[in-house]
Amino acid sequence: MTSIKRKNSLIENDEIDSDEEVPSNTIGENVPLKWYENHEHIGYDLEAKKIAKPVSAGKSDEIDEFLEKMENADYWRTVYDDLTGQNVTLTNEDIAVIQQIKNAQTYPDDHVYEPWVDTFSSEVMIHPILNTPESKASFIPSKWERLKVGKYLHAIKMGWIKPAPPKEDPLSSNSYDLWSDETRTNLPRSNIPAPKLELPGHHESYNPSYEYLLDDAEVEALKAKMESDFDENERATKTIFIPKKYPSLRQVPAYDQFVYERFQRCLDLYLCPRQKRLKANIKDINDLIPDKPKPQDLHPYPLVQSLIYEGHKNIIRCLTCHTSGQWLASGSDDCTVRIWEIATTRCMNVFTFEKPIVSIQWNPVLSLLTVATGSQIVMINPRLGENAKVLFTDEFIKQLAYESSSAATDDCQWVKTSDENDKYIRLTITHSMPIRQIEWQARGDYLACILAPRSDQSQSKSILIHHLSKGRSQYPFKQLKGAVQHVRFHPTKPIFIIATQHSIKIYHLLKQQLIKRLYVNTKWISSIDIHPLGDNIICGGYDSKINWFDLDLSVKPYETYRYHKRAIRCIRYHTRLPLFASTSDDGTCIISHCSVYSDLLKNPLIVPVKILRGHQIINDLSILDCLFHPTQPWIFTSGADSTIRLFTN
Amino acid sequence: MSLQVRFITRLQKYSVPDTTLVIPSSSTNSQLEAILKGLLQQTTGSSNDFSRLSFDFLCLNQLIRSSLEEHIREKDESLLESIIEIEYIEKFQAPEPEDALMHDDWVSTCKSLGDTILVGSYDTKIHLWNNQGEHITSLPGHTAPIRSLIFIHSDEGEHEFISGSHDQTILIWKYDQNKNSVKSLITCKGHQGTIETLALQKSIFASGSFDKTIKLWGLEEQQQQEQTSTKECRVTINAHNENVSSIGWNSSNELVSCSWDQTIKLWNMDTIQSTQTFKCGKAVLSLDISPVNGLLICGFTDRFIRLYDTRVQEGYVLRSTFSSHSQWVPSVMWSRTSEHLFVSGSYDGLVKLWDTRSLKAPLYDLQGHEDRVLCVDWSVDQLILSGGADNSLKMFSFK
């Protein structure tokens, strides 16, 4: 628009230049020239005189046109101005402007950057541009709109218009939130902002009111209060502030406690917990107790003391029960072995030896009661139980190929005794070292024997295995570390379990290799037992811990119990029922229920069910051995008070 | 509080008129007895002396042992509103301790028949006594303690009996008292465990052993009149999973056996089949069947005595439980004539005389033993025998 204006102005300038001959037309832009077509003039000049229509201009014929074209060199830049009826020759500048307009270029002129006049600005001016008053309609709600809305409302009420059905998410039908039931694990850190410093009060002002100022007595009182309220350590971290008055800020000295207080503040910040500690939200203390079945639901197990077997005169170290469940044999420090009728507590037989009895076990197959006394193993046929078996045992011993042999090793001697010489004793094996424990293999042919070598002797000779039918003895282990505490045979497989002071090792006897080594968390193992199914081992220690090993699960304890107060002396499984018992020097025998599942996915369920008491504690010893009845839910305990007690269900 | 009661009885000679009385609810046996005696005095009108008599009172088929109100509250409180019928019976007379027969060793079993008392002991001998407490003889024969004895018959100095022992044999004895000689001795061999129990039925007897079997033996006369002979069993039943602790004949062809395997089994002896098995949950030590009403009592290791009705086909076979002993009950025996009375011996050293209508407390505690009681016997009505681990056989009799 500016360029056109400019052009107009140029033209005007040209006209001004040639003003003398052509008067300017005043009809304005709004009057079209065709109104003057039939007149002699084309408009009026400034003095309202008619401007005569030029004769030649624009009305020349073709020939004149042609001649003009041929003769006039400026013909191409000559234009006819309707308004004045003159031919105008454009100057070079005009041409340049036209060229620029045609090329859509800006005019090279500083007018491009003319200051912007913001006529309709956002600023409200006191004098509005348009002074029309606001129309009334703009204040009145529209009637037609109201009617229209009323119609819609009515239609919605009548149910003609229904809201659009919710847009169905194409994914929602066959997709779901994968993490919907995932609990939030990454909880946002709940930071606590640093504690703020207390804002200074009036008394800390450099120019406090007079009521804040302290006199000498008050200062003394404050110091005395400090002395009495805090001890020396606390006082070191406190400062006494005494308000002082200064006439002007310039006179306030540097605060002498500044560095100290900053330092204390830093200490506070560094010691202050900046994160919220999440406390476990325990509403009921019972929630902490693991969900285990109640003891009442786990019957049968031994409950009450029923019978007492009296007769021994010293500590009873060991017990064994005949497989029929009718006879019980016990070995004591008074050097006797007694055989009892379980049902009546009748002592059926007494065998006296020279040394205390350390270990005793009935042969699982033959009628042979095996007694370890001192460094001797004595096999007795007590002539109890099945007659046929008693006779067979005598025959079996008699027909054994050896008479008295020193066998494979020189360390032990086998001596047979015929029934003419002694009614009961059948076989004696004499060792060079005292015996700690004997253990029959389940088939009753092999007898493992732990010897107690002196500290200067090799530990490898501490385990000896006797072969009854061959009359041979051998040391199965060439080297053994640590003192052997207890051994057991696997109930079904040729596997041998050795408990030394700190570890349990499981050996395969046929392959002659170590299968497993169990890591025990007791300091000193006292006793072990293997579950009748052979997949679980319990182990008791002198530090009163009980470890349960699940051999399928791990070589580390599946569970550890610490329910005894003193050293554990003996730990045993029941051969038929899911029970095990542990006896301790604290005078208790604790019965636990243990369900073992053949399903590998199910862990054993162990519930302690009953504490049995009865034995006295004599010289820090109480119950030394315990033994389950082979069939009944009954348990025998033998103790330092030289009694055996039977607990029944 | 007072209660309305009416006394009834089956005793013809001590009947009272059918009147309703109001008595205090706290009345005990002695007060009831005083009231009843007053009533009797009124009825007969005579000066009959009732002071010697004593009565026991039954309410709701249970002997009253506490106050009347407590007794009824235990059963059914609603009855307190109505008229209560109290039956009275003559009080069972207390047995008197008569004698103690000392032995050399534990008395494990005893039986009496007529005038003769038969005692089996742990000294492996059988001892014969008469009921005056005089020792007749000791019969050695077994090599191990004797566990069980039964009389076959006994007349005119000739005694026939069977003994079972730890030595796994059963001996059938014929002993002539006059000549003091054993006429014949038959050895029954076959058991592979100690003989625990014997039971006789006419000419057949059964034996239970620790080898888990029951064997049946015949008592037919031996052809050859030899002094000693041996015998084989007729039938062997693999009855239980454990020690057969006691057996008894229910009828001529039904045997009842109990075992440590916590079961009681009924056997049909015609087919040798088990007809019923009851699980008890505790090892059963002893049983006896009442010759009067066929009910079964059993002694258990959990110190209870339980009463079973084996004739019941459905529902609870267990009728009632008697709790007063504090130890195992290895021996129980019914009265041969009364349907309500039985004795029990326990390891707590007490023999108790029970009425089946009183569950919590026995009629009488028969004291005297200083150690465990191993056996009791009430085969002869006037005589209760008990033997124990204190080597003595105690005799209690009714005057």
Side-chain angles (χ1 to χ4, degrees):
Chain A
M1 185 173 165
T2 34
S3 60
I4 289 167
K5 268 187 182 170
R6 176 73 194 164
K7 182 185 161 190
N8 286 345
S9 69
L10 268 178
I11 293 165
E12 275 168 31
N13 283 344
D14 284 343
E15 279 173 349
I16 289 163
D17 289 340
S18 57
D19 207 72
E20 278 35 71
E21 36 185 357
V22 182
S24 60
N25 200 343
T26 58
I27 56 172
E29 286 176 12
N30 292 332
V31 178
L33 279 174
K34 64 177 180 184
W35 293 352
Y36 292 93
E37 272 176 7
N38 299 327
H39 295 277
E40 288 297 303
H41 59 281
I42 52 166
Y44 304 91
D45 64 4
L46 290 170
E47 285 150 3
K49 284 175 184 167
K50 287 178 184 176
I51 299 169
K53 212 180 255 184
V55 185
S56 58
K59 305 269 180 169
S60 56
D61 54 4
E62 290 281 314
I63 295 168
D64 289 337
E65 241 345 63
F66 181 74
L67 287 176
E68 187 72 19
K69 201 176 179 178
M70 289 292 122
E71 286 167 7
N72 194 355
D74 289 335
Y75 175 78
W76 63 274
R77 59 163 104 184
T78 305
V79 290
Y80 174 70
D81 186 0
D82 280 339
L83 206 60
T84 55
Q86 298 288 326
N87 283 326
V88 180
T89 306
L90 300 179
T91 61
N92 283 343
E93 282 177 354
D94 292 335
I95 298 292
V97 168
I98 290 164
Q99 280 295 326
Q100 278 177 343
I101 289 168
K102 277 172 98 178
N103 294 340
Q105 284 172 334
T106 50
Y107 190 71
D109 192 85
D110 51 7
H111 286 286
V112 175
Y113 303 107
E114 271 182 344
W116 168 254
V117 181
D118 190 7
T119 316
F120 293 93
S121 77
S122 62
E123 283 165 36
V124 179
M125 287 174 283
I126 44 168
H127 303 294
I129 299 164
L130 301 170
N131 208 10
T132 52
E134 199 82 60
S135 71
K136 188 187 175 186
S138 68
F139 295 102
I140 299 165
S142 161
K143 178 189 177 186
W144 306 111
E145 262 178 27
R146 179 170 56 78
L147 290 177
K148 198 77 183 165
V149 169
K151 263 186 184 174
Y152 282 135
L153 241 145
H154 180 66
I156 289 168
K157 274 181 192 166
M158 297 303 284
W160 301 328
I161 296 179
K162 280 177 189 139
K167 214 177 189 182
E168 202 168 301
D169 185 3
L171 290 172
S172 68
S173 56
N174 53 3
S175 64
Y176 59 92
D177 184 1
L178 193 61
W179 292 279
S180 61
D181 40 347
E182 196 101 330
T183 48
R184 286 178 67 193
T185 47
N186 291 331
L187 289 168
R189 278 164 62 100
S190 47
N191 282 323
I192 304 174
K196 280 177 181 156
L197 275 179
E198 206 183 327
L199 288 173
H202 289 300
H203 69 294
E204 281 163 307
S205 162
Y206 77 95
N207 188 14
S209 306
Y210 282 100
E211 66 259 31
Y212 292 112
L213 294 175
L214 307 175
D215 59 16
D216 288 351
E218 282 170 323
V219 169
E220 284 304 311
L222 197 65
K223 280 180 178 168
K225 191 173 187 301
M226 189 81 167
E227 291 276 321
S228 63
D229 283 6
F230 303 106
D231 66 10
E232 210 168 307
N233 290 335
E234 285 173 319
R235 235 177 290 139
T237 64
K238 306 271 182 208
T239 50
I240 302 174
F241 180 79
I242 297 160
K244 267 186 189 165
K245 199 173 176 73
Y246 299 97
S248 72
L249 198 56
R250 271 187 299 118
Q251 287 168 321
V252 178
Y255 181 44
D256 57 343
Q257 295 288 337
F258 178 77
V259 175
Y260 179 74
E261 278 187 2
R262 285 293 109 181
F263 177 68
Q264 288 297 332
R265 167 72 177 163
C266 289
L267 281 186
D268 283 350
L269 290 179
Y270 130 80
L271 289 172
C272 168
R274 297 295 298 280
Q275 196 167 15
K276 231 176 230 169
R277 196 162 60 92
L278 282 176
K279 276 188 185 169
N281 187 18
I282 299 156
K283 281 173 191 151
D284 189 0
I285 198 95
N286 292 325
D287 295 349
L288 294 174
I289 300 168
D291 188 21
K292 294 214 166 173
K294 286 179 184 166
Q296 297 93 285
D297 306 335
L298 299 173
H299 282 292
Y301 54 83
L303 275 173
V304 287
Q305 179 182 305
S306 286
L307 301 175
I308 303 174
Y309 303 78
E310 284 170 324
H312 278 295
K313 295 194 176 55
N314 208 335
I315 299 170
I316 302 166
R317 294 249 174 222
C318 43
L319 292 172
T320 181
C321 195
H322 193 259
T323 44
S324 68
Q326 195 177 8
W327 315 107
L328 176 75
S330 60
S332 160
D333 273 8
D334 62 4
C335 308
T336 59
V337 168
R338 280 173 186 263
I339 299 177
W340 311 85
E341 188 184 13
I342 288 167
T344 57
T345 75
R346 169 85 181 183
C347 176
M348 303 303 289
N349 220 333
V350 184
F351 302 102
T352 309
F353 297 93
E354 286 162 5
K355 295 232 172 104
I357 316 297
V358 261
S359 185
I360 190 167
Q361 202 179 16
W362 230 297
N363 186 304
V365 178
L366 301 167
S367 171
L368 276 182
L369 180 64
T370 314
V371 179
T373 163
S375 59
Q376 265 191 337
I377 293 174
V378 183
M379 297 196 194
I380 300 167
N381 185 352
R383 309 198 156 272
L384 291 170
E386 230 174 289
N387 263 342
K389 206 193 229 177
V390 171
L391 298 174
F392 172 77
T393 304
D394 275 357
E395 279 303 305
F396 178 79
I397 299 285
K398 207 177 276 180
Q399 57 86 36
L400 287 179
Y402 53 91
E403 264 311 308
S404 56
S405 69
S406 57
T409 56
D410 299 331
D411 294 342
C412 59
Q413 278 205 317
W414 295 59
V415 179
K416 281 208 291 189
T417 317
S418 62
D419 46 355
E420 290 92 53
N421 297 334
D422 196 298
K423 196 180 170 194
Y424 297 107
I425 294 175
R426 288 287 161 273
L427 199 63
T428 313
I429 309 170
T430 313
H431 303 77
S432 57
M433 285 180 274
I435 301 167
R436 294 186 68 145
Q437 190 214 342
I438 49 169
E439 170 83 7
W440 279 105
Q441 174 224 15
R443 279 160 63 196
D445 201 14
Y446 292 93
L447 177 70
C449 167
I450 311 180
L451 303 169
R454 287 194 310 275
S455 52
D456 55 330
Q457 282 170 315
S458 158
Q459 290 291 340
S460 64
K461 294 201 166 180
S462 59
I463 295 178
L464 193 58
I465 292 187
H466 301 295
H467 192 175
L468 179 67
S469 54
K470 297 260 173 66
R472 274 209 313 244
S473 309
Q474 58 175 347
Y475 294 107
F477 300 102
K478 288 216 177 69
Q479 51 187 20
L480 270 174
K481 271 184 201 165
V484 178
Q485 298 293 315
H486 213 113
V487 294
R488 289 269 185 230
F489 279 102
H490 192 281
T492 48
K493 295 175 191 162
I495 286 172
F496 191 57
I497 301 153
I498 299 175
T500 58
Q501 244 178 53
H502 307 295
S503 68
I504 297 174
K505 289 169 189 161
I506 302 170
Y507 289 94
H508 198 285
L509 287 175
L510 293 182
K511 294 179 194 162
Q512 301 200 328
Q513 65 183 26
L514 178 70
I515 305 175
K516 239 175 218 176
R517 188 200 158 106
L518 304 180
Y519 295 92
V520 183
N521 63 11
T522 60
K523 290 197 182 97
W524 194 314
I525 296 170
S526 62
S527 172
I528 54 166
D529 200 8
I530 180 160
H531 192 269
L533 293 177
D535 286 334
N536 295 277
I537 287 178
I538 37 172
C539 143
Y542 287 115
D543 56 354
S544 77
K545 279 184 197 161
I546 293 172
N547 289 337
W548 175 290
F549 293 94
D550 191 334
L551 296 185
D552 295 329
L553 206 66
S554 155
V555 293
K556 286 180 182 151
Y558 162 63
E559 275 196 54
T560 302
Y561 290 98
R562 232 173 268 114
Y563 44 52
H564 279 294
K565 291 189 184 69
R566 305 278 300 277
I568 288 160
R569 289 278 162 185
C570 179
I571 195 153
R572 295 254 199 183
Y573 279 107
H574 197 287
T575 47
R576 289 195 189 170
L577 299 166
L579 294 173
F580 76 84
S582 58
T583 67
S584 159
D585 282 350
D586 59 8
T588 59
C589 171
I590 295 183
I591 309 289
S592 303
H593 185 275
C594 56
S595 300
V596 174
Y597 306 97
S598 50
D599 184 359
L600 285 176
L601 293 173
K602 244 179 167 178
N603 285 330
L605 174 80
I606 305 163
V607 188
V609 286
K610 183 75 188 171
I611 303 176
L612 302 174
R613 289 192 175 88
H615 285 282
Q616 292 164 2
I617 302 171
I618 296 168
N619 293 337
D620 281 350
L621 290 178
S622 182
I623 308 179
L624 290 172
D625 200 5
C626 67
L627 181 70
F628 279 105
H629 190 275
T631 50
Q632 299 286 343
W634 301 348
I635 190 167
F636 303 96
T637 56
S638 74
D641 55 357
S642 60
T643 59
I644 303 164
R645 286 161 201 261
L646 169 65
F647 296 87
T648 60
N649 62 327
Chain B
M1 192 179 152
S2 53
L3 296 169
Q4 289 181 304
V5 297
R6 199 162 57 205
F7 285 103
I8 56 166
T9 187
R10 286 175 202 157
L11 306 165
Q12 293 291 327
K13 48 181 177 173
Y14 302 125
S15 55
V16 290
D18 187 15
T19 52
T20 307
L21 302 170
V22 178
I23 61 166
S25 61
S26 59
S27 303
T28 56
N29 261 0
S30 54
Q31 282 150 326
L32 286 171
E33 194 170 334
I35 294 165
L36 180 67
K37 279 182 180 170
L39 266 177
L40 282 169
Q41 212 105 41
Q42 277 181 10
T43 342
T44 50
S46 65
S47 55
N48 265 3
D49 190 15
F50 292 106
S51 58
R52 278 187 303 104
L53 286 171
S54 60
F55 294 97
D56 237 335
F57 297 89
L58 283 161
C59 180
L60 306 167
N61 217 14
Q62 290 285 314
L63 285 172
I64 298 170
R65 283 286 175 267
S66 49
S67 78
L68 189 57
E69 187 186 348
E70 278 174 42
H71 182 88
I72 294 166
R73 271 188 202 285
E74 253 175 53
K75 296 283 167 191
D76 188 357
E77 279 195 28
S78 63
L79 288 174
L80 288 170
E81 307 298 320
S82 56
I83 298 170
I84 300 150
E85 286 195 341
I86 297 179
E87 188 183 347
Y88 56 95
I89 51 172
E90 251 185 299
K91 198 166 190 174
F92 191 75
Q93 204 187 349
E96 302 277 323
E98 194 173 291
D99 209 347
L101 311 178
M102 293 310 290
H103 293 77
D104 296 338
D105 211 333
W106 295 9
V107 174
S108 58
T109 174
C110 56
K111 280 279 174 319
S112 66
L113 187 66
D115 297 339
T116 322
I117 298 167
L118 206 56
V119 177
S121 164
Y122 267 80
D123 63 1
T124 74
K125 289 178 193 153
I126 298 165
H127 302 272
L128 259 78
W129 302 76
N130 66 13
N131 62 1
Q132 302 306 311
E134 289 159 359
H135 191 250
I136 300 167
T137 187
S138 298
L139 299 171
H142 285 290
T143 57
I146 290 154
R147 287 290 293 171
S148 186
L149 278 172
I150 38 170
F151 253 119
I152 301 170
H153 70 83
S154 161
D155 52 359
E156 293 169 11
E158 200 173 282
H159 310 297
E160 268 187 75
F161 53 87
I162 310 167
S163 65
S165 157
H166 264 175
D167 63 9
Q168 310 179 2
T169 59
I170 301 163
L171 294 179
I172 306 170
W173 301 77
K174 212 172 262 183
Y175 173 72
D176 193 333
Q177 193 179 330
N178 303 327
K179 293 179 193 166
N180 190 16
S181 65
V182 179
K183 273 170 78 177
S184 76
L185 187 66
I186 304 163
T187 311
C188 305
K189 281 188 178 168
H191 273 300
Q192 287 295 328
T194 59
I195 314 295
E196 294 290 310
T197 175
L198 295 167
L200 178 73
Q201 168 72 33
K202 288 172 188 159
S203 64
I204 296 175
F205 73 93
S207 63
S209 159
F210 219 102
D211 64 4
K212 309 167 190 175
T213 62
I214 296 171
K215 284 180 194 278
L216 284 186
W217 315 78
L219 264 188
E220 66 280 356
E221 286 295 314
Q222 294 285 310
Q223 299 299 315
Q224 313 95 322
Q225 284 297 316
E226 285 175 32
Q227 208 189 353
T228 56
S229 58
T230 56
K231 189 191 265 281
E232 298 271 313
C233 75
R234 284 192 188 171
V235 179
T236 303
I237 311 169
N238 288 321
H240 287 279
N241 296 328
E242 283 193 54
N243 172 28
V244 181
S245 52
S246 192
I247 52 176
W249 289 93
N250 204 358
S251 63
S252 63
N253 67 345
E254 193 172 44
L255 188 74
V256 185
S257 68
C258 65
S259 161
W260 281 19
D261 68 2
Q262 315 183 343
T263 58
I264 299 168
K265 286 188 181 179
L266 264 60
W267 302 89
N268 185 336
M269 278 299 131
D270 298 334
T271 56
I272 317 290
Q273 292 286 322
S274 165
T275 52
Q276 260 178 297
T277 303
F278 313 124
K279 284 182 185 150
C280 309
K282 303 283 152 61
V284 196
L285 293 174
S286 53
L287 68 80
D288 194 36
I289 298 150
S290 170
V292 184
N293 55 15
L295 293 176
L296 183 69
I297 42 166
C298 292
F300 284 84
T301 55
D302 64 349
R303 72 198 161 72
F304 295 125
I305 301 164
R306 294 187 173 87
L307 176 72
Y308 293 91
D309 189 350
T310 56
R311 296 161 300 190
V312 175
Q313 295 297 319
E314 285 169 17
Y316 285 116
V317 182
L318 177 64
R319 275 260 195 104
S320 37
T321 304
F322 302 93
S323 55
S324 172
H325 280 299
S326 60
Q327 275 288 356
W328 290 15
V329 186
S331 171
V332 286
M333 188 143 183
W334 281 101
S335 159
R336 296 291 114 179
T337 50
S338 165
E339 60 172 327
H340 296 303
L341 299 173
F342 68 91
V343 285
S344 66
S346 160
Y347 282 175
D348 58 8
L350 288 175
V351 177
K352 292 186 190 237
L353 177 63
W354 297 84
D355 190 303
T356 52
R357 295 167 293 190
S358 168
L359 304 179
K360 295 278 168 58
L363 287 182
Y364 300 106
D365 281 353
L366 311 184
Q367 288 165 339
H369 281 288
E370 284 150 18
D371 205 339
R372 294 182 295 279
V373 176
L374 300 176
C375 58
V376 289
D377 181 67
W378 198 2
S379 314
V380 175
D381 246 358
Q382 295 306 312
L383 191 64
I384 296 175
L385 298 174
S386 69
D390 57 354
N391 302 352
S392 70
L393 180 82
K394 305 276 182 201
M395 293 163 69
F396 300 90
S397 65
F398 301 97
K399 289 278 154 49

